[in-house]
Amino acid sequence: MFRKLDSHRAAKRLLNRCETLAGFSALDDGILRAYLTPQHAQANAQVGEWMIAAGMTTWQDQVGNQWGRYEGCLKGAPKLIIGSHLDTVPYAGRYDGILGVLAAIELVSQLNAENRRLPFAIEVVGFCDEEGTRFGTTLIGSKALAGQWQDDWLAIEDDQGTSMYDALIAFGLDPRQCINARLNPENILGFWELHIEQGPVLEAEDLPLGVVTGIAGAKRSMIQLKGQAGHAGTTPMHLRRDSLTGAAELTLAIERIARDIGGDLVATVGQVFSKPGAVNVIAGQTILSLDVRSQSDVVRDKAVEQINDIAEAIAGRRSLELSWNHTHQAPAVLCNAKYQAVFSSAIEQAFENKVPVRRLPSGAGHDAMALAEICPMAMLFLRSPRGLSHHPDEAVIPEDVASGLSVLYQAINKLELDCSQDLVSNSLVS
Ligand SMILES: [Zn+2]
């Protein structure tokens, strides 16, 4: 059993390691660790050392993900993959992604200290590029594992004009081998990821952690309203075709529609571009960005449909021309039901039923989305103080980190029990 004292000590070490990794930065005044940079290599080397100290064998794969394997009782046993990402956005916090990799290492370290081998191997992964900071691509590390590597990514250049092809070579990797990072799905039990929530829900409910139900699918569009630019002094109000006031009305309607639909549906207008953009000219053309997300693609699409209906009505009433450009769409991905149940009972056990099990969707994308293509996946969220992330003030509560480790440990115990029972029943059948 992961005694209370041990989980606190492990949490302390984990948090110290977060500080060490924060030092591998391309910025003097903040954290930036991008794909295929010297800081990426430093982080992989350091994490590899910690993996070895925890009793794992280590390697770096064809795209630059860092791996460690803790063998099961039988060689070649199926594996459970646990991990998250080691790269960051510019001026990042210390915990986004990193926490999940280091938590998995602490978990293995504890098993190793107990001299315990499971009916399955544990492979810990530190993904190389989740954020897409350098090349604008996201989830490179996890997509490559899921067999979704695309050779046309090699031509993408960073803002210094270095192509991914050249960056891979400079890093010591062979671009022609990236496609071979794909995993064989056959012997994978699943993928688990512990991650900070990056939102305010758990904190608002005073809960240390929660079980993720799924990762929302996002739909993004640019909505254009075209009216007539004109003189701000000479055009009376009733003769105007003002695209900006139409866009303002539409923005408020989008907020109202999202609130009315409720649940996990969120809709955001984050950008407004208006032309010609002068103080004394009525706006003739306005473009709004729209980002709509839900764990249910049906709910999300229904929201976009309602927004389109109201946009048409507003445009009609104001004599504006409406056009849509759909720029991005990703389907929602559900977390595996069995593993959600494993996490839930692990939370009950770790907190002796004193903390309710909160299930919540993820509004943000994660590596687990990509892994879901090849194996069952599940995620645990840890409370994010002030809901802050992608920010230097991103934080975790040390007590919560200890709780997260206890829950992961209990979940492993539960999975071990399930696997042992499966093995027994399988041998009874055969
Ligand atoms: Zn992350």
Side-chain angles (χ1 to χ4, degrees):
M1 165 104 192
F2 214 47
R3 292 184 304 268
K4 218 172 167 43
L5 180 71
D6 287 338
S7 71
H8 280 88
R9 201 173 53 202
K12 205 172 160 200
R13 179 165 70 174
L14 186 161
L15 292 171
N16 282 333
R17 288 176 170 181
C18 289
E19 294 300 320
T20 303
L21 290 179
F24 302 149
S25 172
L27 299 171
D28 291 331
D29 57 346
I31 304 172
L32 166 59
R33 203 163 44 253
Y35 186 40
L36 304 173
T37 58
Q39 296 77 37
H40 172 191
Q42 277 179 306
N44 277 10
Q46 177 63 79
V47 167
E49 275 179 35
W50 292 331
M51 286 170 162
I52 290 168
M56 290 181 258
T57 51
T58 61
W59 67 98
Q60 182 180 269
D61 71 16
Q62 294 88 336
V63 292
N65 296 312
Q66 176 63 38
W67 288 90
R69 180 177 169 101
Y70 184 68
E71 199 55 68
C73 20
L74 293 173
K75 247 192 148 44
K79 63 192 174 202
L80 175 70
I81 305 173
I82 314 178
S84 193
H85 60 97
L86 292 169
D87 68 313
T88 77
V89 295
Y91 294 98
R94 291 163 158 67
Y95 310 104
D96 173 5
I98 288 101
L99 184 89
V101 183
L102 299 183
I105 295 174
E106 288 301 337
L107 177 72
V108 170
S109 176
Q110 175 70 21
L111 295 169
N112 190 45
E114 293 170 16
N115 223 340
R116 198 167 138 201
R117 296 285 164 177
L118 305 168
F120 49 87
I122 294 180
E123 288 192 0
V124 177
V125 61
F127 291 114
C128 57
D129 186 11
E130 191 264 358
E131 305 283 8
T133 303
R134 184 169 178 188
F135 295 100
T137 47
T138 56
L139 306 178
I140 285 185
S142 46
K143 280 185 176 168
L145 299 187
Q148 294 168 3
W149 171 267
Q150 291 173 34
D151 273 336
D152 19 323
W153 291 343
L154 294 170
I156 303 174
E157 292 179 354
D158 65 9
D159 56 13
Q160 305 294 311
T162 305
S163 69
M164 197 188 293
Y165 184 95
D166 289 340
L168 281 159
I169 289 175
F171 195 77
L173 293 168
D174 180 349
R176 289 162 307 178
Q177 291 298 323
C178 290
I179 191 106
N180 295 325
R182 64 146 52 96
L183 296 175
N184 172 8
E186 264 168 33
N187 62 347
I188 306 174
L189 290 180
F191 172 70
W192 291 0
E193 182 170 4
L194 172 76
H195 201 283
I196 55 170
E197 184 200 334
Q198 302 180 286
V201 175
L202 291 169
E203 182 176 61
E205 297 179 20
D206 199 19
L207 294 170
L209 43 76
V211 178
V212 180
T213 50
I215 300 173
K219 196 165 193 169
R220 292 197 193 124
S221 317
M222 301 306 281
I223 307 172
Q224 180 179 267
L225 288 166
K226 240 174 136 176
Q228 178 63 58
H231 197 294
T234 59
T235 320
M237 297 310 286
H238 73 284
L239 294 178
R240 294 183 179 203
R241 291 170 58 215
D242 184 336
S243 62
L244 185 54
T245 49
E249 192 182 343
L250 178 57
T251 304
L252 289 173
I254 289 167
E255 183 187 45
R256 194 174 58 246
I257 288 168
R259 279 172 184 256
D260 287 351
I261 291 175
D264 77 324
L265 189 279
V266 284
T268 307
V269 174
Q271 295 175 317
V272 181
F273 306 100
S274 231
K275 280 186 191 170
V279 285
N280 56 353
V281 182
I282 298 159
Q285 186 200 60
T286 304
I287 295 176
L288 300 178
S289 68
L290 174 67
D291 176 303
V292 185
R293 303 183 194 211
S294 168
Q295 199 184 277
S296 157
D297 292 339
V298 175
V299 170
R300 184 200 60 194
D301 291 348
K302 189 178 118 193
V304 174
E305 222 170 90
Q306 283 187 23
I307 291 168
N308 185 43
D309 289 348
I310 201 116
E312 277 177 3
I314 291 168
R317 190 158 22 83
R318 290 174 170 270
S319 302
L320 302 171
E321 283 168 40
L322 169 73
S323 61
W324 284 69
N325 180 15
H326 296 294
T327 52
H328 167 84
Q329 177 161 345
V333 181
L334 294 181
C335 294
N336 177 261
K338 183 186 125 185
Y339 287 146
Q340 284 189 55
V342 167
F343 284 165
S344 300
S345 77
I347 289 173
E348 283 164 2
Q349 222 155 355
F351 291 96
E352 291 161 353
N353 292 312
K354 288 185 189 113
V355 168
V357 175
R358 175 65 155 97
R359 291 172 183 252
L360 73 166
S362 171
H366 294 288
D367 289 300
M369 278 162 90
L371 269 288
E373 287 285 324
I374 53 164
C375 64
M377 71 79 180
M379 290 189 75
L380 270 176
F381 269 171
L382 214 65
R383 159 167 49 192
S384 285
R386 292 196 287 153
L388 267 186
S389 187
H390 287 190
H391 189 281
D393 292 342
E394 181 181 273
V396 288
I397 298 168
E399 182 74 30
D400 292 352
V401 176
S403 300
L405 291 172
S406 299
V407 168
L408 275 181
Y409 186 74
Q410 294 294 351
I412 285 290
N413 290 343
K414 181 103 182 62
L415 189 63
E416 180 188 27
L417 199 66
D418 287 359
C419 284
S420 307
Q421 280 166 352
D422 281 355
L423 287 178
V424 172
S425 56
N426 283 348
S427 61
L428 284 178
V429 173
S430 61

PDB file of all heavy atoms in Angstrom, residues 85 96-97 130-131 195 198 366, ligand 1:
ATOM      1  N   HIS A  85       3.136  14.938 -21.864  1.00  0.00           N
ATOM      2  CA  HIS A  85       4.149  15.580 -22.720  1.00  0.00           C
ATOM      3  C   HIS A  85       5.182  16.386 -21.928  1.00  0.00           C
ATOM      4  O   HIS A  85       4.894  16.887 -20.846  1.00  0.00           O
ATOM      5  CB  HIS A  85       3.487  16.468 -23.771  1.00  0.00           C
ATOM      6  CG  HIS A  85       2.643  17.576 -23.203  1.00  0.00           C
ATOM      7  ND1 HIS A  85       3.110  18.852 -23.035  1.00  0.00           N
ATOM      8  CD2 HIS A  85       1.356  17.590 -22.752  1.00  0.00           C
ATOM      9  CE1 HIS A  85       2.147  19.613 -22.521  1.00  0.00           C
ATOM     10  NE2 HIS A  85       1.074  18.870 -22.334  1.00  0.00           N
ATOM     11  N   ASP A  96       2.040  21.615 -16.778  1.00  0.00           N
ATOM     12  CA  ASP A  96       1.244  21.156 -17.921  1.00  0.00           C
ATOM     13  C   ASP A  96       2.030  20.066 -18.652  1.00  0.00           C
ATOM     14  O   ASP A  96       3.086  20.347 -19.218  1.00  0.00           O
ATOM     15  CB  ASP A  96       0.965  22.366 -18.837  1.00  0.00           C
ATOM     16  CG  ASP A  96       0.291  21.984 -20.151  1.00  0.00           C
ATOM     17  OD1 ASP A  96      -0.060  20.807 -20.336  1.00  0.00           O
ATOM     18  OD2 ASP A  96       0.134  22.886 -20.991  1.00  0.00           O
ATOM     19  N   GLY A  97       1.518  18.842 -18.640  1.00  0.00           N
ATOM     20  CA  GLY A  97       2.200  17.723 -19.293  1.00  0.00           C
ATOM     21  C   GLY A  97       3.232  17.072 -18.395  1.00  0.00           C
ATOM     22  O   GLY A  97       3.124  15.895 -18.051  1.00  0.00           O
ATOM     23  N   GLU A 130       3.461  18.084 -27.936  1.00  0.00           N
ATOM     24  CA  GLU A 130       2.005  18.129 -27.822  1.00  0.00           C
ATOM     25  C   GLU A 130       1.504  19.506 -28.234  1.00  0.00           C
ATOM     26  O   GLU A 130       0.464  19.647 -28.851  1.00  0.00           O
ATOM     27  CB  GLU A 130       1.592  17.828 -26.375  1.00  0.00           C
ATOM     28  CG  GLU A 130       0.094  17.575 -26.184  1.00  0.00           C
ATOM     29  CD  GLU A 130      -0.697  18.788 -25.741  1.00  0.00           C
ATOM     30  OE1 GLU A 130      -0.114  19.882 -25.532  1.00  0.00           O
ATOM     31  OE2 GLU A 130      -1.914  18.675 -25.615  1.00  0.00           O
ATOM     32  N   GLU A 131       2.269  20.536 -27.864  1.00  0.00           N
ATOM     33  CA  GLU A 131       1.785  21.915 -27.999  1.00  0.00           C
ATOM     34  C   GLU A 131       1.899  22.466 -29.423  1.00  0.00           C
ATOM     35  O   GLU A 131       1.196  23.407 -29.772  1.00  0.00           O
ATOM     36  CB  GLU A 131       2.574  22.838 -27.053  1.00  0.00           C
ATOM     37  CG  GLU A 131       2.566  22.393 -25.583  1.00  0.00           C
ATOM     38  CD  GLU A 131       1.248  22.705 -24.876  1.00  0.00           C
ATOM     39  OE1 GLU A 131       0.300  23.124 -25.551  1.00  0.00           O
ATOM     40  OE2 GLU A 131       1.185  22.514 -23.647  1.00  0.00           O
ATOM     41  N   HIS A 195      -3.159  14.775 -15.758  1.00  0.00           N
ATOM     42  CA  HIS A 195      -2.884  16.105 -16.307  1.00  0.00           C
ATOM     43  C   HIS A 195      -3.551  17.137 -15.400  1.00  0.00           C
ATOM     44  O   HIS A 195      -4.564  16.836 -14.779  1.00  0.00           O
ATOM     45  CB  HIS A 195      -3.454  16.191 -17.729  1.00  0.00           C
ATOM     46  CG  HIS A 195      -2.842  17.251 -18.575  1.00  0.00           C
ATOM     47  ND1 HIS A 195      -3.158  18.583 -18.442  1.00  0.00           N
ATOM     48  CD2 HIS A 195      -1.914  17.183 -19.559  1.00  0.00           C
ATOM     49  CE1 HIS A 195      -2.449  19.281 -19.328  1.00  0.00           C
ATOM     50  NE2 HIS A 195      -1.686  18.459 -20.019  1.00  0.00           N
ATOM     51  N   GLN A 198      -6.373  22.628 -16.039  1.00  0.00           N
ATOM     52  CA  GLN A 198      -6.229  23.833 -16.880  1.00  0.00           C
ATOM     53  C   GLN A 198      -7.529  24.623 -16.943  1.00  0.00           C
ATOM     54  O   GLN A 198      -7.728  25.413 -17.870  1.00  0.00           O
ATOM     55  CB  GLN A 198      -5.770  23.497 -18.306  1.00  0.00           C
ATOM     56  CG  GLN A 198      -4.447  22.742 -18.357  1.00  0.00           C
ATOM     57  CD  GLN A 198      -4.022  22.414 -19.767  1.00  0.00           C
ATOM     58  OE1 GLN A 198      -4.585  21.527 -20.396  1.00  0.00           O
ATOM     59  NE2 GLN A 198      -3.005  23.084 -20.277  1.00  0.00           N
ATOM     60  N   HIS A 366      -5.605  16.761 -25.762  1.00  0.00           N
ATOM     61  CA  HIS A 366      -4.482  16.105 -25.077  1.00  0.00           C
ATOM     62  C   HIS A 366      -3.950  14.960 -25.934  1.00  0.00           C
ATOM     63  O   HIS A 366      -4.654  14.470 -26.815  1.00  0.00           O
ATOM     64  CB  HIS A 366      -4.934  15.544 -23.720  1.00  0.00           C
ATOM     65  CG  HIS A 366      -5.324  16.604 -22.750  1.00  0.00           C
ATOM     66  ND1 HIS A 366      -4.409  17.417 -22.143  1.00  0.00           N
ATOM     67  CD2 HIS A 366      -6.533  16.999 -22.296  1.00  0.00           C
ATOM     68  CE1 HIS A 366      -5.032  18.268 -21.356  1.00  0.00           C
ATOM     69  NE2 HIS A 366      -6.334  18.045 -21.426  1.00  0.00           N
TER      70      HIS A 366
HETATM   71 ZN    ZN B   1      -0.792  19.573 -21.658  1.00  0.00          ZN
END
